[in-house]
Amino acid sequence: QVQLVESGGGLVQPGGSLRLSCAASGSMFSSYVMAWYRQAPGNERELVASINSRGTNYADFVKGRFTISRDNAKNTVYLQMNSLKPEDTAVYYCNTLPAIVFWGRGTQVTVSS
């Protein structure tokens, strides 16, 4: 049984910052590529960032603003989001890459003035 629990979302003004966390239960956490995804109403779920044993990858629309990291000892993945824009508004999810674990409930990020 593997479960993913996202947290850290909220309401923030444009230009603000949030730090999301994803706690994963189960074995072999360090063996998997981990990623953050997001989905806004009317949009498909899209890949935001990923992290593997060699480094990180980012979608063009967040490059330079977001940072993905992981703490394998805590079975936790993080997403530091800076310089937030209204178009970043979405529900943010974590999962493996490719996504082979059941989706959690996600955490809502709303960027608005």
Side-chain angles (χ1 to χ4, degrees):
Q1 176 181 179
V2 177
Q3 294 183 349
L4 302 168
V5 181
E6 300 92 345
S7 63
L11 175 63
V12 65
Q13 292 183 319
S17 297
L18 285 172
R19 182 174 179 262
L20 307 184
S21 298
C22 170
S25 65
S27 301
M28 305 298 178
F29 175 80
S30 63
S31 299
Y32 296 94
V33 179
M34 296 299 299
W36 284 95
Y37 305 78
R38 72 186 188 187
Q39 186 169 26
N43 287 29
E44 295 182 353
R45 182 180 283 115
E46 60 186 354
L47 178 65
V48 175
S50 64
I51 182 167
N52 59 36
S53 62
R54 301 297 183 185
T56 57
N57 289 282
Y58 299 93
D60 287 342
F61 52 81
V62 303
K63 193 170 296 183
R65 301 188 297 122
F66 292 8
T67 302
I68 186 172
S69 62
R70 68 194 297 169
D71 186 337
N72 291 334
K74 297 182 183 294
N75 284 0
T76 302
V77 184
Y78 304 96
L79 186 68
Q80 178 67 48
M81 305 187 296
N82 299 324
S83 302
L84 283 161
K85 305 174 180 179
E87 51 263 46
D88 295 319
T89 296
V91 178
Y92 284 71
Y93 303 88
C94 65
N95 211 312
T96 54
L97 181 65
I100 61 172
V101 177
F102 287 123
W103 297 100
R105 286 179 283 191
T107 185
Q108 176 72 49
V109 172
T110 302
V111 185
S112 177
S113 60

